[in-house]
């Protein structure tokens, strides 16, 4: 795999050297993280996630509209005897013109679909599935943003299941007011060789929120309040019909001089989302995050989060700290005869 990757870089650079009016681009991202989850009080799954991701990319900006990138995203979990626990390939085409963006291939999830509420897509995706493998279409202007995407998470074989997720998200903002929506659906089918008493599952949910963004209108650096509703769509085909549990959401976000508080409250029916946060199986759930974003160095982002989970008469806690270093650049290429 390493030889193929190096060969691809050399091939891409050779092609770039023979064309005109293009730019050779590069990007290097290093993300190291520690996330300790103490969930025993509520009988959820406790774990410590501790490791590092290294993700270099290189590619061509063909013109103002078309881009090609290749690279890799390698994970090493601390304490593992392996050099790397998993290497995800990165290779994609990007189209960008005016308000439109289109991606196809294996491209980073970050900045595109990493803003989904945890209730729909659990935050461990950021650690263990950093790429979308499929397609994404994005439209964004001054007030509107809409994103449509599909992520193929498992190819069907004789023994492996067929899984894919597709989703739609977006927002509209005018002044201090905004409306946002998020929706996703997991299609979970069986392997090519049928398993007795196995059934296809459809498992998804949607959230709609409305709120106000009062950032820089108070002494705080940021202040956002929103409320909305959540509904999930759960079905095991040929066994039963659709189940559609519902609930209400209320959220407060504020920050002052890199210290912040985020409080998320849910009240309603419990959900069983295969890729959603496990705490939303409770009928009443409140999460409080105390955050700190230290200024480390130019290009280096850090964040510490202390979280408290209130549900079912108990309190669980979580401590997460991450450092991300990102550097990128480009070089114009001239025609080589």
């Amino acid at each position: 795999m390493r030889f193929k990757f190096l060969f691809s870089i050399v091939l891409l650079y050779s092609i770039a050297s023979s064309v005109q009016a293009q730019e050779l681009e590069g990007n290097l991202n290093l993300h190291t993280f520690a996330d300790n989850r103490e969930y025993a009080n509520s009988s959820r799954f406790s774990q410590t996630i501790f490791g590092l991701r290294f993700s270099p990319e290189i590619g061509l900006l063909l013109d103002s509209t078309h881009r090609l990138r290749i690279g890799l995203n390698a994970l090493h979990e601390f304490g593992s005897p392996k050099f790397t626990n998993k290497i995800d390939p990165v290779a994609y085409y990007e189209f960008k013109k005016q308000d439109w963006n289109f991606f196809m291939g294996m491209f980073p999830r970050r900045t595109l679909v990493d803003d989904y509420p945890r209730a729909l897509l659990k935050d461990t995706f950021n650690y263990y599935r950093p790429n979308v493998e499929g397609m994404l279409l994005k439209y964004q202007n001054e007030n509107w943003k809409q994103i449509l995407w599909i992520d193929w998470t498992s190819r069907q074989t004789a023994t492996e299941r067929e899984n894919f997720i597709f989703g739609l998200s977006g927002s509209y903002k005018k002044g201090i007011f905004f409306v946002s929506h998020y929706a996703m659906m997991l299609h979970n089918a069986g392997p090519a060789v049928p398993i007795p008493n196995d059934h296809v599952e459809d498992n998804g949910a949607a959230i709609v929120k409305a709120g106000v963004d009062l950032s820089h209108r108070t002494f705080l650096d940021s202040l956002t309040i929103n409320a909305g509703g959540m509904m999930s769509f759960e079905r095991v085909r040929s066994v039963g019909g659709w189940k559609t549990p519902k609930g209400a959401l209320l959220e407060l976000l504020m920050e002052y001089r890199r210290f912040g508080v985020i409080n998320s409250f849910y009240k309603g029916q419990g959900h069983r989302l295969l890729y959603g946060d496990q705490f939303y199986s409770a009928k009443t759930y409140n999460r409080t995050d105390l955050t700190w974003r230290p200024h480390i160095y130019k290009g280096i982002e850090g964040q510490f989060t202390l979280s408290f989970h209130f549900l079912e008469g108990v309190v669980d806690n979580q401590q997460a700290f991450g450092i991300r270093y990102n550097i990128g650049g480009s070089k114009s290429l001239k025609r080589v005869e």
Side-chain angles (χ1 to χ4, degrees):
M1 178 178 289
R2 296 174 189 168
F3 173 77
K4 291 182 178 179
F5 173 68
L6 293 174
F7 176 76
S8 299
I9 293 178
V10 172
L11 179 62
L12 184 62
Y13 186 83
S14 299
I15 295 173
S17 299
S18 63
V19 294
Q20 191 174 18
Q22 298 181 349
E23 290 187 16
L24 178 67
E25 300 179 312
N27 186 74
L28 174 62
N29 187 280
L30 186 69
H31 181 207
T32 182
F33 46 82
D35 191 338
N36 181 52
R37 304 177 175 209
E38 301 291 345
Y39 297 166
N41 291 334
S42 66
S43 300
R44 265 67 178 181
F45 178 59
S46 298
Q47 62 177 319
T48 298
I49 303 170
F50 201 11
L52 177 147
R53 275 200 174 274
F54 173 70
S55 50
E57 291 182 22
I58 189 171
L60 288 175
L61 179 62
L62 303 177
D63 54 27
S64 60
T65 302
H66 306 281
R67 170 181 279 118
L68 298 173
R69 285 284 183 98
I70 63 171
L72 58 87
N73 197 311
L75 168 68
H76 175 77
E77 294 188 90
F78 297 159
S80 171
K82 299 179 181 179
F83 176 77
T84 179
N85 297 89
K86 185 182 179 185
I87 296 179
D88 293 298
V90 175
Y92 62 93
Y93 162 77
E94 179 188 357
F95 170 90
K96 185 175 183 180
K97 190 170 185 179
Q98 295 179 343
D99 301 329
W100 292 92
N101 260 102
F102 174 73
F103 294 81
M104 186 170 184
M106 298 159 288
F107 50 90
R109 179 183 305 276
R110 188 168 180 259
T111 74
L112 293 173
V113 292
D114 62 344
D115 64 337
Y116 262 65
R118 286 182 294 265
L120 303 191
L121 290 177
K122 52 191 174 184
D123 52 8
T124 52
F125 269 49
N126 297 326
Y127 301 129
Y128 294 114
R129 189 169 178 81
N131 295 336
V132 173
E133 298 186 16
M135 296 182 290
L136 182 143
L137 178 64
K138 176 182 177 182
Y139 174 81
Q140 184 172 9
N141 60 24
E142 183 179 355
N143 301 112
W144 289 94
K145 181 173 76 169
Q146 293 293 320
I147 297 177
L148 175 66
W149 55 276
I150 183 169
D151 185 6
W152 210 272
T153 54
S154 178
R155 174 183 173 272
Q156 188 182 58
T157 66
T159 56
E160 297 293 327
R161 305 183 72 88
E162 178 183 80
N163 287 173
F164 61 85
I165 317 170
F166 59 92
L168 174 68
S169 66
S171 62
Y172 173 77
K173 185 175 182 180
K174 187 71 172 179
I176 65 172
F177 300 99
F178 68 88
V179 178
S180 62
H181 66 87
Y182 302 87
M184 57 75 65
M185 178 66 73
L186 164 67
H187 176 76
N188 182 27
V193 178
I195 301 173
N197 300 317
D198 184 59
H199 305 280
V200 177
E201 288 187 81
D202 299 300
N203 190 272
I207 288 177
V208 177
K209 302 187 291 185
V212 291
D213 184 353
L214 302 174
S215 300
H216 310 299
R217 293 175 180 262
T218 68
F219 72 94
L220 299 171
D221 295 324
S222 66
L223 175 62
T224 303
I225 305 170
N226 65 75
M230 173 180 175
M231 177 186 291
S232 60
F233 312 93
E234 308 160 21
R235 175 179 67 163
V236 180
R237 297 188 190 180
S238 71
V239 172
W242 287 100
K243 297 179 181 179
T244 57
K246 309 170 186 66
L249 298 161
L250 180 63
E251 189 172 48
L252 167 70
L253 303 89
M254 56 184 179
E255 187 176 63
Y256 180 67
R257 294 186 177 179
R258 296 184 174 271
F259 290 91
V261 177
I262 304 172
N263 196 85
S264 305
F265 176 76
Y266 173 78
K267 180 71 175 180
Q269 298 169 295
H271 303 268
R272 190 190 70 88
L273 291 173
L274 299 181
Y275 281 161
D277 193 303
Q278 56 188 319
F279 287 110
Y280 286 85
S281 61
K283 295 182 179 179
T284 303
Y285 168 54
N286 190 88
R287 172 173 175 150
T288 301
D289 294 329
L290 307 178
T291 66
W292 174 46
R293 298 186 301 109
H295 178 72
I296 300 177
Y297 190 73
K298 183 179 180 181
I300 302 179
E301 304 172 8
Q303 179 162 325
F304 174 77
T305 304
L306 175 61
S307 303
F308 298 96
H309 307 270
F310 303 87
L311 72 162
E312 300 167 350
V314 299
V315 182
D316 285 334
N317 67 87
Q318 175 182 357
Q319 313 87 40
F321 181 66
I323 295 177
R324 187 184 295 273
Y325 174 68
N326 188 76
I327 185 172
S330 63
K331 180 181 180 181
S332 298
L333 300 174
K334 296 181 179 180
R335 185 176 181 86
V336 178
E337 300 297 341

